[in-house]
Amino acid sequence: MTKTDLRLDVLMQLSDLPGVPGNEDAVREFVLRELESLADTVQVDAMGNVIAYRKATAKAKKGQKKERVMISAHMDEIGFLVRHVDEKGYLRVQQLGGFDTRNLFARNVTVHTRSGQLPGIMQPGGKPVHIAGPEERKKIPEVSEFFIDLGLDGDEARRRVRVGDMVTLDQTARQVGNLVCGKAMDDRACVFMALETLRLLKKTSLKHDLYVVFSVQEEVGLRGAITAAYGVEPTIGIGLDVTLAVDLPALGGGPHEAVTRLGDGIGIKVFDSSMISTRWLVDEFYDLAEKNGIKAQLEVLPLGGTDGGAIQRSRAGVPTLTLSIPTRYIHTIVESVNADDVKAGVDLLVAYLA
């Protein structure tokens, strides 16, 4: 498979869809359409996770144990819920996921109401730069200081918007050179990677039972993967998520702070704050990448977690690792992945599962 075989248009469609934690409906409907004919069974559980199942059909070698492999990529993106509509029609929001507020100034947003979408402008309270003092210009506001202007008066805003309505940042995905950029590569790039893996394995006999989970509410505590892992009862776990590519110029740090680099292949996670990957699985995946000429890099992430951490700690514990797509500008509206790294992740999953 060449990188041009990747359906990058599908990846961009996925990134454009709205889906904050607890409201992943549009993404789930897209995934369910994509899964038609790719699995033996597909179900949606009580949390809203999509679970696609492929039964092992290949004859196992003598003495080989048939595993229950669970792969999990999350459907949700960071975003907001409306928590208050004031008398002038301005909205205050509850954040869902971690935001760097330096990236939230003067943003176009969409408020998703029961009666339709409303365009809005997100901005923190404060003076315009023309009249702000030197100290005011340096101040970085908290999320609680931001409001959304709908251009509506108080009565109209309160009539159309309810507490709990979803708010997403506006950005259309696009290709920039060999990068694919969008508001929700975290984690739609891995949702895409899982779908592409199932597509390429469609006519392949599997030695192990395979459960591919498209999980919910990862950004607020790995919640969907926790319940899915309890239901699936896997014997091998593979989380799929993005990771930091701190490989930009003039960041002031050394090469040791890069975590991963775009174009150097799929990341094989050794550590993050939610898990220490099972060492023999790390070795197995790294050796498999080398054997098949697949570019891969080992990853240590100082802070952050993935669905792999939830799978690893389910029930009596599960041998688990996470495969990570190196990503620039994480938790902004221009999250950027390299098509070659996505291809490497698909190739490695296919090599392992086939």
Side-chain angles (χ1 to χ4, degrees):
M1 180 181 67
T2 66
K3 72 183 180 186
T4 54
D5 293 325
L6 292 176
R7 302 174 303 156
L8 296 180
D9 60 318
V10 173
L11 171 54
M12 290 187 284
Q13 289 175 58
L14 275 165
S15 179
D16 288 349
L17 293 170
V20 304
N23 199 340
E24 300 90 351
D25 304 48
V27 187
R28 180 165 45 248
E29 290 169 10
F30 187 98
V31 167
L32 289 170
R33 289 195 299 271
E34 284 287 315
L35 284 173
E36 290 179 10
S37 79
L38 295 184
D40 298 326
T41 63
V42 178
Q43 64 168 309
V44 178
D45 68 12
M47 283 286 289
N49 300 305
V50 177
I51 304 174
Y53 170 63
R54 280 280 312 273
K55 182 178 176 61
T57 55
K59 187 175 181 181
K61 295 178 182 178
K62 186 176 180 180
Q64 185 182 49
K65 175 187 174 185
K66 186 173 76 170
E67 305 284 1
R68 294 166 63 89
V69 179
M70 173 177 162
I71 296 174
S72 186
H74 69 89
M75 296 185 290
D76 57 311
E77 65 186 279
I78 60 172
F80 306 92
L81 296 178
V82 174
R83 65 177 177 84
H84 180 69
V85 185
D86 73 17
E87 69 280 356
K88 293 184 178 179
Y90 297 115
L91 312 184
R92 299 288 181 166
V93 294
Q94 168 65 46
Q95 71 185 79
L96 297 173
F99 277 97
D100 180 346
T101 54
R102 294 174 299 178
N103 299 311
L104 287 178
F105 285 77
R107 291 297 182 198
N108 290 322
V109 300
T110 298
V111 181
H112 303 261
T113 75
R114 286 201 296 179
S115 58
Q117 298 180 352
L118 293 175
I121 301 162
M122 175 175 277
Q123 183 72 349
K127 299 176 184 176
V129 67
H130 309 73
I131 58 175
E135 292 305 313
E136 291 172 304
R137 294 176 194 168
K138 294 178 185 177
K139 185 177 182 293
I140 300 174
E142 302 291 332
V143 172
S144 60
E145 298 175 59
F146 283 78
F147 62 86
I148 294 173
D149 185 351
L150 297 175
L152 303 175
D153 63 32
D155 290 340
E156 182 69 5
R158 284 194 292 270
R159 186 180 70 80
R160 300 179 69 176
V161 179
R162 296 194 311 166
V163 168
D165 282 345
M166 172 172 64
V167 179
T168 55
L169 299 169
D170 290 353
Q171 183 74 9
T172 300
R174 62 177 183 163
Q175 288 185 252
V176 178
N178 200 33
L179 306 182
V180 185
C181 309
K183 68 174 177 62
M185 292 298 141
D186 178 10
D187 193 31
R188 309 286 165 70
C190 291
V191 169
F192 171 72
M193 192 162 73
L195 289 170
E196 289 294 274
T197 299
L198 281 170
R199 182 173 69 90
L200 292 172
L201 289 172
K202 182 177 179 179
K203 297 181 180 179
T204 302
S205 294
L206 303 181
K207 291 183 293 185
H208 305 294
D209 288 338
L210 174 62
Y211 297 82
V212 180
V213 176
F214 302 88
S215 68
V216 297
Q217 300 188 38
E218 188 271 353
E219 295 288 2
V220 289
L222 318 181
R223 297 176 186 178
I226 291 171
T227 60
Y230 269 73
V232 168
E233 299 185 37
T235 58
I236 297 287
I238 303 172
L240 303 180
D241 214 323
V242 299
T243 191
L244 298 179
V246 192
D247 57 355
L248 301 170
L251 287 175
H256 64 285
E257 294 183 330
V259 182
T260 61
R261 296 182 181 277
L262 259 69
D264 283 0
I266 190 69
I268 300 174
K269 187 181 294 293
V270 176
F271 169 92
D272 67 26
S273 53
S274 72
M275 68 181 292
I276 299 173
S277 293
T278 303
R279 193 68 207 188
W280 62 261
L281 264 179
V282 171
D283 293 341
E284 186 172 339
F285 270 77
Y286 193 80
D287 292 346
L288 187 62
E290 283 195 325
K291 177 183 176 182
N292 287 275
I294 299 168
K295 293 181 76 173
Q297 50 189 316
L298 295 171
E299 172 220 351
V300 173
L301 181 66
L303 184 65
T306 73
D307 280 354
I311 301 170
Q312 187 182 60
R313 288 178 283 179
S314 67
R315 297 186 182 271
V318 181
T320 304
L321 92 166
T322 291
L323 297 182
S324 307
I325 299 177
T327 306
R328 289 179 186 156
Y329 322 118
I330 283 183
H331 284 200
T332 75
I333 60 170
V334 289
E335 294 177 333
S336 301
V337 300
N338 185 305
D340 290 329
D341 296 334
V342 177
K343 173 190 177 297
V346 174
D347 288 346
L348 187 54
L349 278 173
V350 169
Y352 179 76
L353 295 168

